[in-house]
Amino acid sequence: MVHAKSRWEDPRVLEAQVAVNEDDLRWQYIHRMGKTKEIQASAVARLFCPTILRELARKGQSPLFARLLYESNLLKLSSDIEKVYDLFEYAFAFLKRKEYRHEYTYKAALTEKILLGTHSLRTASMMSEFRVGDCKADVVILNGTSTVYEIKSERDSLYRLEKQIAAYMKVFATVNVIVGKNHAEAVRNSVPRDVGVLELSDRYQISTIREGRDRPSRTNPEAVFDSINLREAELVLIDLGISVPDVPNTRRYWELRRCFAKLEPARVHASMVKTLKKTRNLVSLGVLIDELPASLRSAVLSLRLRKQDHARLAESMLTSISNAVTWS
């Protein structure tokens, strides 16, 4: 395994980094030549799905990755991509173009520019697809407070946004919507004024249209309870100095929920943040993500990977494309 301190001394990785810096220019040229029509965008997007990362981590190879290489037609447009590492970066440079963006592009931007750019894995944690009622929060970042980011990409509809915002305001102190330019005005005018609105620009930068307000007092303890697991709920009670009900498992859920219903919102929220930062901690992934393409960091931080699989995933990035196509 290539460790973080020696990573930049590895000539294989240095070569991959040079390729990464050229990817955006390469796609600009391909676009001008009208060749992007040959690319199957849905297949490119699927290269970043959890199944591929799990296969690479557990086996060091992925049949799905090999199949998508053919289906995407990426290799027809570039014959000088040599390793799996720079293939992911090459594919992501395509997905960053506003006409091809989807949810993962936005998650990657939030990971790089907020979780790892403003915070760090030692001070903050991130959760993806976090269940809140019958909604799933796209990205939640926990530091001294909780901030949720609902993604509305260029391809998304806004028809569920009102319901999603209402659900998130019961659990998270700060609620943000991050949008493509086409949705910016409609979202700014439709969501409550204390909800933040961010935009992912054409240049892949996050700009603030309106700041979200931090309001832990508006959260609902019962909604918080319904969004975490029972062990985490018990840890919240212990943190607040409240005895955990000693009842049979058949009554455990309802007794814990009854306890939460009596509590003050801001205190429950603060304890939830403290608890989830421990139970959903990402520090153990710090070395691994330093060895992966930047395009994969968001995906890896959203997975539960065994420690013994980290080295295998990192090494798979240095596999030659000529070998990777045989995985199928």
Side-chain angles (χ1 to χ4, degrees):
M1 182 174 183
V2 184
H3 294 286
K5 291 184 179 178
S6 62
R7 178 175 185 270
W8 304 108
E9 301 170 7
D10 190 322
R12 298 171 299 176
V13 178
L14 286 171
E15 291 170 7
Q17 286 301 307
V18 171
V20 168
N21 294 333
E22 295 174 349
D23 284 339
D24 285 321
L25 291 175
R26 186 179 292 147
W27 277 114
Q28 289 175 24
Y29 171 77
I30 290 172
H31 181 72
R32 287 198 302 270
M33 297 297 291
K35 294 184 177 181
T36 50
K37 295 178 182 178
E38 300 177 31
I39 298 299
Q40 297 298 314
S42 61
V44 177
R46 289 181 64 204
L47 285 167
F48 298 90
C49 72
T51 300
I52 287 178
L53 290 179
R54 290 193 184 101
E55 289 178 344
L56 292 175
R58 294 172 183 173
K59 303 175 183 178
Q61 56 182 267
S62 169
L64 178 57
F65 177 87
R67 188 167 76 248
L68 291 174
L69 284 183
Y70 287 109
E71 292 180 8
S72 67
N73 287 331
L74 285 173
L75 296 182
K76 291 183 179 180
L77 296 185
S78 180
S79 59
D80 59 346
I81 299 297
E82 296 182 356
K83 297 178 177 64
V84 170
Y85 184 106
D86 40 286
L87 189 282
F88 276 115
E89 296 288 65
Y90 179 63
F92 191 71
F94 172 81
L95 293 180
K96 287 198 310 186
R97 301 188 63 83
K98 66 179 181 180
E99 59 266 42
Y100 303 111
R101 287 178 184 169
H102 68 14
E103 183 178 290
Y104 182 74
T105 316
Y106 283 73
K107 287 184 177 179
L110 290 168
T111 299
E112 286 298 315
K113 302 178 187 301
I114 296 181
L115 177 68
L116 302 177
T118 303
H119 308 298
S120 75
L121 296 186
R122 295 194 176 277
T123 62
S125 192
M126 182 182 78
M127 301 180 296
S128 182
E129 303 298 311
F130 185 79
R131 175 70 66 179
V132 180
D134 59 357
C135 301
K136 285 186 179 180
D138 290 321
V139 174
V140 177
I141 294 180
L142 306 169
N143 51 354
T145 187
S146 65
T147 305
V148 61
Y149 298 86
E150 176 60 28
I151 295 167
K152 294 300 178 187
S153 73
E154 288 82 352
R155 296 164 173 257
D156 288 333
S157 165
L158 303 181
Y159 83 97
R160 295 187 68 239
L161 184 58
E162 182 179 354
K163 179 180 180 180
Q164 291 167 321
I165 295 298
Y168 302 155
M169 292 175 80
K170 295 179 180 179
V171 176
F172 307 110
T174 303
V175 178
N176 288 320
V177 186
I178 180 168
V179 301
K181 187 174 183 179
N182 59 321
H183 290 315
E185 189 68 17
V187 170
R188 186 178 68 84
N189 291 333
S190 63
V191 299
R193 295 189 63 82
D194 57 355
V195 171
V197 182
L198 311 176
E199 181 184 326
L200 187 62
S201 73
D202 293 352
R203 294 181 176 273
Y204 198 61
Q205 298 298 315
I206 296 176
S207 60
T208 301
I209 297 174
R210 185 171 69 210
E211 290 277 0
R213 291 181 57 190
D214 186 70
R215 294 186 59 192
S217 60
R218 75 172 172 216
T219 57
N220 182 296
E222 291 171 281
V224 169
F225 172 80
D226 290 337
S227 297
I228 61 180
N229 63 47
L230 294 185
R231 179 52 184 160
E232 289 167 339
E234 291 177 342
L235 292 174
V236 168
L237 293 181
I238 292 170
D239 181 62
L240 295 174
I242 298 169
S243 298
V244 175
D246 183 13
V247 296
N249 284 339
T250 54
R251 293 174 51 197
R252 184 180 174 212
Y253 172 88
W254 294 109
E255 288 300 318
L256 288 172
R257 199 173 197 279
R258 183 178 60 82
C259 290
F260 269 68
K262 299 177 181 178
L263 300 176
E264 193 269 322
R267 291 186 67 218
V268 172
H269 172 268
S271 186
M272 175 196 73
V273 171
K274 181 179 178 181
T275 298
L276 293 183
K277 283 181 67 177
K278 294 177 180 177
T279 60
R280 316 288 178 104
N281 189 283
L282 300 174
V283 172
S284 63
L285 294 171
V287 172
L288 175 61
I289 66 168
D290 282 343
E291 298 172 346
L292 298 178
S295 58
L296 286 182
R297 289 172 184 167
S298 182
V300 169
L301 291 173
S302 300
L303 290 177
R304 292 183 179 273
L305 295 177
R306 300 179 302 177
K307 181 72 173 178
Q308 60 265 39
D309 291 339
H310 289 192
R312 191 178 297 108
L313 177 58
E315 288 299 328
S316 72
M317 295 296 111
L318 301 177
T319 304
S320 68
I321 292 298
S322 60
N323 284 335
V325 297
T326 68
W327 288 342
S328 58

